[in-house]
Amino acid sequence: MKRPLENIKVLDFSRVLAGPYCTMLFADLGADVLKIEKPGSGDDTRHFGPFQNDESAYFGFLNRGKKSIELNLKDEVDKEQLLQLVKETDVIVENFRPGVMKKLGLDYETLKELNPQLVYTSISGFGQFGPYSQRPAYDLVAQAMGGMTSITGHPDNPPTRTGSSLGDMSAALYAAFGTMVALYHRERTGEGQFLDIAMMDSIFAMLETNVLRYTVDRIVPSRIGSRHPISTPFDIYGAKDGYIVIAIANDPLFARLCHVVERPELIDDPRFVTDSLRTQHEKELKEIIEEWLSSYTVEEAENSMNEAGVPCSRINSIKDVVEDEHTKIREMLVEVDHPIAGPMKVPGNPVKLSLTPPSIDKAPPLLGEHNDEIKKRLLKVGID
Protein backbone atom coordinates (compact mmCIF):
# COMPACT_ATOMS: atom_id res chain seq x y z
CA MET A 1 0.00 0.00 0.00
CA LYS A 2 1.41 3.38 -1.00
CA ARG A 3 2.05 5.92 1.71
CA PRO A 4 1.24 9.61 1.15
CA LEU A 5 4.78 11.02 1.44
CA GLU A 6 6.65 8.40 -0.58
CA ASN A 7 8.01 10.91 -3.08
CA ILE A 8 9.15 13.43 -0.47
CA LYS A 9 12.86 13.64 0.37
CA VAL A 10 13.78 15.11 3.75
CA LEU A 11 17.19 16.19 5.02
CA ASP A 12 17.06 16.00 8.80
CA PHE A 13 19.68 18.14 10.54
CA SER A 14 17.79 18.03 13.84
CA ARG A 15 18.83 16.49 17.13
CA VAL A 16 17.30 15.33 20.41
CA LEU A 17 13.46 15.60 20.48
CA ALA A 18 11.46 18.30 18.68
CA GLY A 19 13.01 18.02 15.20
CA PRO A 20 13.46 14.23 15.23
CA TYR A 21 9.85 13.69 16.31
CA CYS A 22 8.68 15.90 13.45
CA THR A 23 10.74 14.00 10.87
CA MET A 24 9.76 10.66 12.45
CA LEU A 25 6.16 11.47 11.55
CA PHE A 26 7.26 12.08 7.96
CA ALA A 27 9.13 8.75 7.87
CA ASP A 28 6.07 6.89 9.20
CA LEU A 29 4.10 8.34 6.28
CA GLY A 30 6.62 7.22 3.68
CA ALA A 31 9.04 10.13 3.30
CA ASP A 32 12.67 9.31 2.56
CA VAL A 33 14.26 10.89 5.64
CA LEU A 34 18.05 11.20 5.63
CA LYS A 35 19.46 12.06 9.06
CA ILE A 36 22.64 14.13 8.94
CA GLU A 37 24.79 13.17 11.94
CA LYS A 38 28.04 14.33 13.46
CA PRO A 39 30.80 11.86 12.60
CA GLY A 40 31.77 9.55 15.44
CA SER A 41 29.06 10.53 17.94
CA GLY A 42 25.85 11.29 16.07
CA ASP A 43 22.67 12.61 17.63
CA ASP A 44 22.91 13.26 21.37
CA THR A 45 20.05 10.84 21.98
CA ARG A 46 22.17 7.88 20.84
CA HIS A 47 23.64 8.22 24.32
CA PHE A 48 20.34 8.67 26.19
CA GLY A 49 18.71 5.83 28.11
CA PRO A 50 16.91 3.58 28.41
CA PHE A 51 19.19 1.15 26.59
CA GLN A 52 18.35 -2.19 25.02
CA ASN A 53 21.46 -4.28 24.29
CA ASP A 54 23.45 -1.03 24.61
CA GLU A 55 21.34 0.67 21.93
CA SER A 56 19.31 3.74 22.91
CA ALA A 57 15.58 3.08 22.85
CA TYR A 58 15.10 6.86 23.08
CA PHE A 59 16.96 7.31 19.80
CA GLY A 60 15.22 4.28 18.33
CA PHE A 61 11.74 5.64 18.94
CA LEU A 62 12.44 9.07 17.45
CA ASN A 63 14.44 7.92 14.44
CA ARG A 64 12.71 4.79 13.20
CA GLY A 65 12.45 4.48 9.44
CA LYS A 66 15.20 7.01 8.72
CA LYS A 67 18.60 6.67 7.09
CA SER A 68 21.83 7.99 8.63
CA ILE A 69 24.84 9.59 7.00
CA GLU A 70 27.81 11.10 8.84
CA LEU A 71 28.78 14.50 7.52
CA ASN A 72 30.94 17.20 9.10
CA LEU A 73 29.13 20.43 8.36
CA LYS A 74 32.40 22.36 8.71
CA ASP A 75 34.33 20.18 6.26
CA GLU A 76 34.39 21.49 2.69
CA VAL A 77 34.27 18.06 1.03
CA ASP A 78 31.38 16.90 3.21
CA LYS A 79 29.64 20.22 2.70
CA GLU A 80 29.91 19.92 -1.08
CA GLN A 81 28.30 16.49 -0.89
CA LEU A 82 25.57 17.95 1.27
CA LEU A 83 24.87 20.69 -1.26
CA GLN A 84 24.46 18.02 -3.93
CA LEU A 85 21.76 16.47 -1.76
CA VAL A 86 20.02 19.81 -1.24
CA LYS A 87 19.42 20.11 -4.98
CA GLU A 88 17.03 17.14 -4.92
CA THR A 89 15.59 17.64 -1.45
CA ASP A 90 12.01 18.66 -0.75
CA VAL A 91 12.25 19.47 2.97
CA ILE A 92 14.97 20.46 5.39
CA VAL A 93 14.33 20.32 9.15
CA GLU A 94 16.84 21.77 11.62
CA ASN A 95 16.77 22.84 15.26
CA PHE A 96 20.07 24.63 15.83
CA ARG A 97 20.10 27.95 17.65
CA PRO A 98 19.17 30.77 15.23
CA GLY A 99 22.18 31.91 13.21
CA VAL A 100 24.15 28.65 13.34
CA MET A 101 23.02 27.41 9.92
CA LYS A 102 23.79 30.81 8.41
CA LYS A 103 27.36 30.64 9.75
CA LEU A 104 27.69 27.23 8.12
CA GLY A 105 26.38 28.57 4.82
CA LEU A 106 23.37 26.27 5.07
CA ASP A 107 20.61 28.80 5.81
CA TYR A 108 17.43 29.08 3.78
CA GLU A 109 18.46 32.18 1.82
CA THR A 110 21.60 30.39 0.63
CA LEU A 111 20.05 27.01 -0.10
CA LYS A 112 16.99 28.32 -1.93
CA GLU A 113 19.38 29.56 -4.63
CA LEU A 114 20.24 25.90 -5.24
CA ASN A 115 16.64 24.72 -4.87
CA PRO A 116 13.88 27.36 -5.12
CA GLN A 117 11.21 24.76 -4.27
CA LEU A 118 12.82 23.88 -0.95
CA VAL A 119 10.64 23.88 2.18
CA TYR A 120 12.97 24.77 5.06
CA THR A 121 11.67 24.24 8.61
CA SER A 122 13.58 25.69 11.57
CA ILE A 123 12.64 24.78 15.14
CA SER A 124 14.12 26.72 18.03
CA GLY A 125 13.36 27.75 21.57
CA PHE A 126 12.20 31.30 20.86
CA GLY A 127 12.15 31.72 17.09
CA GLN A 128 14.39 33.33 14.50
CA PHE A 129 13.62 36.90 15.60
CA GLY A 130 12.57 38.70 18.76
CA PRO A 131 14.46 39.71 21.92
CA TYR A 132 14.77 36.10 23.16
CA SER A 133 15.83 34.53 19.87
CA GLN A 134 19.44 33.89 20.93
CA ARG A 135 18.60 32.33 24.27
CA PRO A 136 19.33 28.62 24.67
CA ALA A 137 16.28 26.53 25.49
CA TYR A 138 15.18 23.12 26.57
CA ASP A 139 11.62 21.99 27.14
CA LEU A 140 11.56 23.10 30.79
CA VAL A 141 12.64 26.61 29.81
CA ALA A 142 10.02 26.85 27.04
CA GLN A 143 7.25 25.68 29.38
CA ALA A 144 8.24 28.28 31.96
CA MET A 145 8.62 31.15 29.49
CA GLY A 146 5.44 30.22 27.62
CA GLY A 147 3.25 30.36 30.74
CA MET A 148 2.46 26.65 31.05
CA THR A 149 4.42 26.12 34.27
CA SER A 150 2.54 28.89 36.09
CA ILE A 151 -0.77 27.04 35.71
CA THR A 152 0.52 23.50 36.30
CA GLY A 153 0.36 22.01 39.78
CA HIS A 154 -1.62 22.56 42.96
CA PRO A 155 -2.00 25.99 44.59
CA ASP A 156 -0.25 24.93 47.79
CA ASN A 157 2.75 23.46 45.94
CA PRO A 158 5.46 24.99 43.72
CA PRO A 159 4.86 25.30 39.96
CA THR A 160 5.76 22.16 37.98
CA ARG A 161 6.42 21.10 34.41
CA THR A 162 3.96 18.87 32.66
CA GLY A 163 4.72 15.14 32.85
CA SER A 164 5.80 15.04 29.19
CA SER A 165 8.04 17.38 27.19
CA LEU A 166 5.16 19.45 25.85
CA GLY A 167 7.40 22.26 24.62
CA ASP A 168 9.28 19.92 22.31
CA MET A 169 6.29 17.85 21.31
CA SER A 170 4.00 20.79 20.53
CA ALA A 171 6.74 22.43 18.44
CA ALA A 172 7.26 19.14 16.59
CA LEU A 173 3.57 18.88 15.77
CA TYR A 174 3.27 22.50 14.63
CA ALA A 175 6.42 21.99 12.54
CA ALA A 176 4.95 18.89 10.90
CA PHE A 177 1.65 20.67 10.28
CA GLY A 178 3.35 23.78 8.90
CA THR A 179 5.61 21.76 6.65
CA MET A 180 2.62 19.92 5.18
CA VAL A 181 0.90 23.27 4.53
CA ALA A 182 4.05 24.56 2.81
CA LEU A 183 4.26 21.43 0.65
CA TYR A 184 0.61 21.86 -0.34
CA HIS A 185 1.31 25.49 -1.27
CA ARG A 186 4.32 24.36 -3.30
CA GLU A 187 2.17 21.78 -5.09
CA ARG A 188 -0.13 24.56 -6.28
CA THR A 189 2.44 27.30 -6.96
CA GLY A 190 5.89 25.73 -7.25
CA GLU A 191 7.14 27.99 -4.47
CA GLY A 192 9.17 26.78 -1.52
CA GLN A 193 9.31 28.75 1.72
CA PHE A 194 10.82 29.11 5.19
CA LEU A 195 9.07 28.04 8.42
CA ASP A 196 10.00 29.53 11.79
CA ILE A 197 8.68 27.35 14.64
CA ALA A 198 9.35 28.36 18.26
CA MET A 199 8.83 26.17 21.31
CA MET A 200 7.67 29.16 23.35
CA ASP A 201 5.12 30.09 20.65
CA SER A 202 3.88 26.50 20.57
CA ILE A 203 3.40 26.38 24.34
CA PHE A 204 1.62 29.74 24.31
CA ALA A 205 -0.73 28.55 21.54
CA MET A 206 -1.71 25.59 23.72
CA LEU A 207 -2.75 27.74 26.69
CA GLU A 208 -6.17 28.11 24.97
CA THR A 209 -8.75 29.72 27.30
CA ASN A 210 -6.15 30.66 29.89
CA VAL A 211 -5.04 33.48 27.61
CA LEU A 212 -8.62 34.60 27.03
CA ARG A 213 -9.35 34.67 30.74
CA TYR A 214 -6.67 37.32 31.00
CA THR A 215 -7.31 39.29 27.80
CA VAL A 216 -11.09 39.36 28.34
CA ASP A 217 -11.60 39.27 32.12
CA ARG A 218 -8.14 40.40 33.31
CA ILE A 219 -7.90 37.26 35.46
CA VAL A 220 -4.37 35.91 35.79
CA PRO A 221 -4.86 32.12 35.77
CA SER A 222 -3.01 30.26 38.51
CA ARG A 223 -2.44 26.70 39.61
CA ILE A 224 -5.68 24.92 40.47
CA GLY A 225 -4.56 21.31 40.41
CA SER A 226 -6.49 18.97 38.14
CA ARG A 227 -9.81 20.77 38.10
CA HIS A 228 -11.03 22.86 35.20
CA PRO A 229 -11.08 26.67 35.59
CA ILE A 230 -14.60 27.15 34.17
CA SER A 231 -16.33 23.73 34.22
CA THR A 232 -17.39 21.63 37.23
CA PRO A 233 -17.28 18.80 38.19
CA PHE A 234 -14.07 18.38 36.21
CA ASP A 235 -11.39 16.98 38.49
CA ILE A 236 -9.81 13.96 40.15
CA TYR A 237 -11.97 12.44 42.88
CA GLY A 238 -11.16 9.96 45.63
CA ALA A 239 -12.98 6.59 45.60
CA LYS A 240 -12.85 3.66 48.00
CA ASP A 241 -9.56 2.26 46.66
CA GLY A 242 -8.03 5.03 44.57
CA TYR A 243 -8.81 7.96 42.30
CA ILE A 244 -11.09 8.53 39.33
CA VAL A 245 -11.37 11.37 36.83
CA ILE A 246 -14.81 12.86 36.14
CA ALA A 247 -15.24 15.45 33.40
CA ILE A 248 -18.55 17.33 33.08
CA ALA A 249 -18.89 20.40 30.86
CA ASN A 250 -22.64 20.79 30.33
CA ASP A 251 -25.95 20.50 32.15
CA PRO A 252 -27.25 17.27 30.57
CA LEU A 253 -24.08 15.44 31.58
CA PHE A 254 -24.38 16.82 35.08
CA ALA A 255 -27.92 15.48 35.29
CA ARG A 256 -26.66 12.01 34.34
CA LEU A 257 -24.03 12.21 37.06
CA CYS A 258 -26.64 13.21 39.63
CA HIS A 259 -28.59 10.04 38.89
CA VAL A 260 -25.44 7.90 39.08
CA VAL A 261 -24.54 9.27 42.52
CA GLU A 262 -28.16 8.80 43.60
CA ARG A 263 -28.74 12.50 44.19
CA PRO A 264 -31.23 13.58 41.45
CA GLU A 265 -32.31 16.56 43.56
CA LEU A 266 -28.95 18.20 42.82
CA ILE A 267 -30.11 18.86 39.27
CA ASP A 268 -32.37 21.67 40.50
CA ASP A 269 -30.21 22.73 43.44
CA PRO A 270 -29.70 26.51 43.09
CA ARG A 271 -25.97 26.06 43.72
CA PHE A 272 -25.54 23.72 40.77
CA VAL A 273 -28.06 24.58 38.04
CA THR A 274 -25.42 26.05 35.69
CA ASP A 275 -21.81 25.27 34.94
CA SER A 276 -20.63 28.63 36.29
CA LEU A 277 -22.58 28.15 39.53
CA ARG A 278 -21.16 24.66 39.93
CA THR A 279 -17.69 26.12 39.55
CA GLN A 280 -18.44 28.72 42.24
CA HIS A 281 -19.53 25.91 44.56
CA GLU A 282 -16.88 23.44 43.45
CA LYS A 283 -15.78 22.41 46.96
CA GLU A 284 -19.31 21.58 48.11
CA LEU A 285 -20.00 19.55 44.98
CA LYS A 286 -16.73 17.67 45.31
CA GLU A 287 -17.61 16.66 48.86
CA ILE A 288 -20.98 15.28 47.70
CA ILE A 289 -19.40 13.28 44.86
CA GLU A 290 -16.64 11.88 47.05
CA GLU A 291 -19.15 10.92 49.74
CA TRP A 292 -20.83 8.65 47.17
CA LEU A 293 -17.50 7.41 45.79
CA SER A 294 -16.31 6.40 49.26
CA SER A 295 -18.60 3.36 49.06
CA TYR A 296 -17.36 2.21 45.64
CA THR A 297 -14.11 1.02 44.12
CA VAL A 298 -12.69 2.86 41.13
CA GLU A 299 -13.75 -0.01 38.86
CA GLU A 300 -17.30 -0.04 40.20
CA ALA A 301 -17.66 3.72 39.89
CA GLU A 302 -16.17 3.77 36.41
CA ASN A 303 -18.53 1.04 35.24
CA SER A 304 -21.57 2.86 36.62
CA MET A 305 -20.60 6.15 35.02
CA ASN A 306 -19.72 4.61 31.67
CA GLU A 307 -23.07 2.85 31.56
CA ALA A 308 -24.76 6.21 32.13
CA GLY A 309 -22.62 8.00 29.51
CA VAL A 310 -20.70 10.12 32.03
CA PRO A 311 -17.14 10.95 30.90
CA CYS A 312 -14.78 9.39 33.44
CA SER A 313 -11.65 7.28 33.74
CA ARG A 314 -9.48 5.42 36.15
CA ILE A 315 -5.96 6.88 36.26
CA ASN A 316 -3.78 4.53 34.23
CA SER A 317 -0.12 4.09 35.00
CA ILE A 318 2.22 3.91 32.00
CA LYS A 319 2.23 0.14 32.53
CA ASP A 320 -1.57 0.10 32.44
CA VAL A 321 -1.88 2.01 29.18
CA VAL A 322 0.98 0.11 27.50
CA GLU A 323 -0.72 -3.20 28.32
CA ASP A 324 -4.27 -2.00 27.59
CA GLU A 325 -6.00 -3.96 24.85
CA HIS A 326 -7.33 -0.72 23.35
CA THR A 327 -3.75 0.52 22.92
CA LYS A 328 -2.83 -2.67 21.09
CA ILE A 329 -5.90 -2.71 18.85
CA ARG A 330 -5.29 0.94 17.93
CA GLU A 331 -1.69 -0.01 17.02
CA MET A 332 -0.34 2.59 19.41
CA LEU A 333 2.37 0.19 20.58
CA VAL A 334 4.35 -1.27 17.70
CA GLU A 335 7.46 -3.38 17.35
CA VAL A 336 10.46 -2.74 15.10
CA ASP A 337 13.38 -5.12 14.66
CA HIS A 338 16.73 -3.53 15.40
CA PRO A 339 19.87 -5.34 14.16
CA ILE A 340 21.57 -4.96 17.55
CA ALA A 341 18.86 -4.19 20.11
CA GLY A 342 16.49 -6.83 18.72
CA PRO A 343 12.69 -6.36 18.81
CA MET A 344 12.01 -2.86 20.14
CA LYS A 345 8.55 -1.75 21.26
CA VAL A 346 7.84 1.93 20.60
CA PRO A 347 4.78 4.22 20.54
CA GLY A 348 2.82 4.06 17.29
CA ASN A 349 1.51 6.83 15.07
CA PRO A 350 -1.85 8.37 16.09
CA VAL A 351 -2.70 9.48 12.53
CA LYS A 352 -5.10 6.81 11.26
CA LEU A 353 -5.59 7.34 7.52
CA SER A 354 -8.09 5.05 5.81
CA LEU A 355 -6.35 4.78 2.42
CA THR A 356 -2.72 5.65 3.10
CA PRO A 357 -2.00 4.74 6.73
CA PRO A 358 1.41 5.25 8.33
CA SER A 359 3.69 2.24 8.43
CA ILE A 360 6.28 1.60 11.12
CA ASP A 361 8.30 -1.28 9.72
CA LYS A 362 11.88 -0.05 9.61
CA ALA A 363 14.33 0.13 12.47
CA PRO A 364 16.25 3.29 13.39
CA PRO A 365 19.59 3.53 11.57
CA LEU A 366 22.98 2.72 13.00
CA LEU A 367 25.30 5.72 13.00
CA GLY A 368 26.45 6.26 9.42
CA GLU A 369 24.71 3.08 8.28
CA HIS A 370 23.88 4.61 4.90
CA ASN A 371 27.14 6.46 4.23
CA ASP A 372 28.14 4.26 1.28
CA GLU A 373 24.64 3.94 -0.15
CA ILE A 374 24.02 7.68 -0.16
CA LYS A 375 27.39 8.55 -1.62
CA LYS A 376 27.06 6.00 -4.40
CA ARG A 377 23.40 6.38 -5.26
CA LEU A 378 22.70 10.06 -4.61
CA LEU A 379 26.03 11.80 -4.80
CA LYS A 380 27.58 9.63 -7.49
CA VAL A 381 30.78 9.51 -5.41
CA GLY A 382 32.84 6.31 -5.66
CA ILE A 383 33.85 4.56 -2.45
CA ASP A 384 37.40 3.31 -2.19
Side-chain angles (χ1 to χ4, degrees):
M1 184 179 293
K2 284 185 68 66
R3 291 185 287 170
L5 299 184
E6 282 187 6
N7 296 322
I8 299 297
K9 292 183 173 63
V10 179
L11 280 185
D12 182 5
F13 290 88
S14 66
R15 306 99 58 231
V16 190
L17 181 51
Y21 189 84
C22 170
T23 53
M24 178 203 79
L25 296 174
F26 298 156
D28 285 355
L29 292 167
D32 183 4
V33 180
L34 179 58
K35 188 172 181 67
I36 311 300
E37 298 199 68
K38 184 178 180 181
S41 58
D43 191 322
D44 292 352
T45 57
R46 287 188 180 273
H47 314 286
F48 289 5
F51 296 97
Q52 186 172 314
N53 292 339
D54 296 326
E55 290 291 317
S56 169
Y58 190 125
F59 177 87
F61 162 50
L62 293 168
N63 295 281
R64 65 199 187 202
K66 303 177 186 179
K67 296 178 179 179
S68 168
I69 183 172
E70 295 172 285
L71 290 175
N72 181 350
L73 303 185
K74 297 180 180 179
D75 179 86
E76 289 304 316
V77 174
D78 283 3
K79 185 175 175 182
E80 183 58 36
Q81 294 175 350
L82 184 59
L83 294 177
Q84 297 278 348
L85 282 168
V86 169
K87 293 177 182 178
E88 53 184 58
T89 290
D90 298 290
V91 174
I92 282 178
V93 177
E94 63 90 10
N95 62 351
F96 289 103
R97 193 184 302 187
V100 170
M101 291 295 270
K102 185 174 180 62
K103 289 180 181 178
L104 294 169
L106 298 171
D107 57 301
Y108 174 66
E109 293 301 323
T110 299
L111 297 187
K112 76 174 183 179
E113 297 300 318
L114 291 175
N115 183 352
Q117 293 190 321
L118 184 66
V119 173
Y120 192 118
T121 300
S122 290
I123 304 171
S124 60
F126 302 101
Q128 302 297 309
F129 60 89
Y132 303 149
S133 63
Q134 291 303 307
R135 289 191 181 188
Y138 275 97
D139 174 79
L140 182 62
V141 176
Q143 287 197 34
M145 290 291 288
M148 185 67 71
T149 308
S150 73
I151 58 172
T152 306
H154 289 270
D156 51 349
N157 288 324
T160 184
R161 69 181 286 273
T162 60
S164 183
S165 298
L166 191 58
D168 282 293
M169 299 299 278
S170 61
L173 293 172
Y174 282 121
F177 167 71
T179 302
M180 292 297 98
V181 171
L183 285 172
Y184 180 67
H185 174 78
R186 190 188 72 172
E187 185 72 18
R188 292 187 301 164
T189 67
E191 298 174 328
Q193 61 182 301
F194 179 76
L195 284 78
D196 175 8
I197 306 294
M199 292 166 66
M200 181 178 173
D201 293 353
S202 302
I203 284 288
F204 184 77
M206 288 196 164
L207 294 176
E208 27 92 7
T209 56
N210 288 288
V211 174
L212 304 180
R213 291 177 68 211
Y214 175 71
T215 58
V216 175
D217 292 331
R218 285 294 184 259
I219 294 171
V220 179
S222 59
R223 300 184 301 284
I224 56 174
S226 299
R227 70 180 181 88
H228 197 279
I230 60 176
S231 290
T232 303
F234 207 107
D235 202 349
I236 296 174
Y237 300 87
K240 187 176 181 179
D241 64 343
Y243 294 92
I244 186 170
V245 168
I246 302 171
I248 303 293
N250 62 45
D251 296 337
L253 285 177
F254 179 65
R256 293 183 190 181
L257 177 65
C258 292
H259 287 291
V260 171
V261 302
E262 302 168 12
R263 295 289 302 273
E265 74 277 8
L266 297 179
I267 297 171
D268 298 317
D269 189 308
R271 296 171 297 173
F272 308 136
V273 290
T274 67
D275 200 11
S276 60
L277 286 170
R278 290 193 291 274
T279 300
Q280 291 176 37
H281 297 278
E282 181 270 333
K283 290 183 179 179
E284 299 142 85
L285 186 53
K286 187 168 188 175
E287 288 177 2
I288 294 170
I289 294 170
E290 291 191 324
E291 180 182 359
W292 178 83
L293 284 169
S294 66
S295 300
Y296 295 89
T297 65
V298 169
E299 184 178 2
E300 291 167 341
E302 184 180 30
N303 288 338
S304 296
M305 291 185 198
N306 278 328
E307 287 175 7
V310 174
C312 68
S313 176
R314 61 196 180 277
I315 298 175
N316 279 334
S317 68
I318 302 301
K319 176 180 181 294
D320 293 332
V321 72
V322 164
E323 297 179 356
D324 194 302
E325 189 65 21
H326 188 81
T327 301
K328 296 174 184 177
I329 290 173
R330 295 285 299 172
E331 297 183 338
M332 284 310 300
L333 187 70
V334 298
E335 188 172 278
V336 293
D337 286 320
H338 192 282
I340 296 175
M344 185 180 289
K345 290 185 177 180
V346 297
N349 193 309
V351 178
K352 309 299 183 187
L353 293 161
S354 63
L355 295 179
T356 55
S359 176
I360 303 168
D361 54 8
K362 294 181 182 177
L366 301 175
L367 179 59
E369 179 179 345
H370 302 90
N371 285 351
D372 291 356
E373 174 192 330
I374 300 302
K375 290 179 179 180
K376 285 179 178 178
R377 180 171 61 85
L378 298 181
L379 304 179
K380 307 295 190 295
V381 175
I383 305 299
D384 296 330

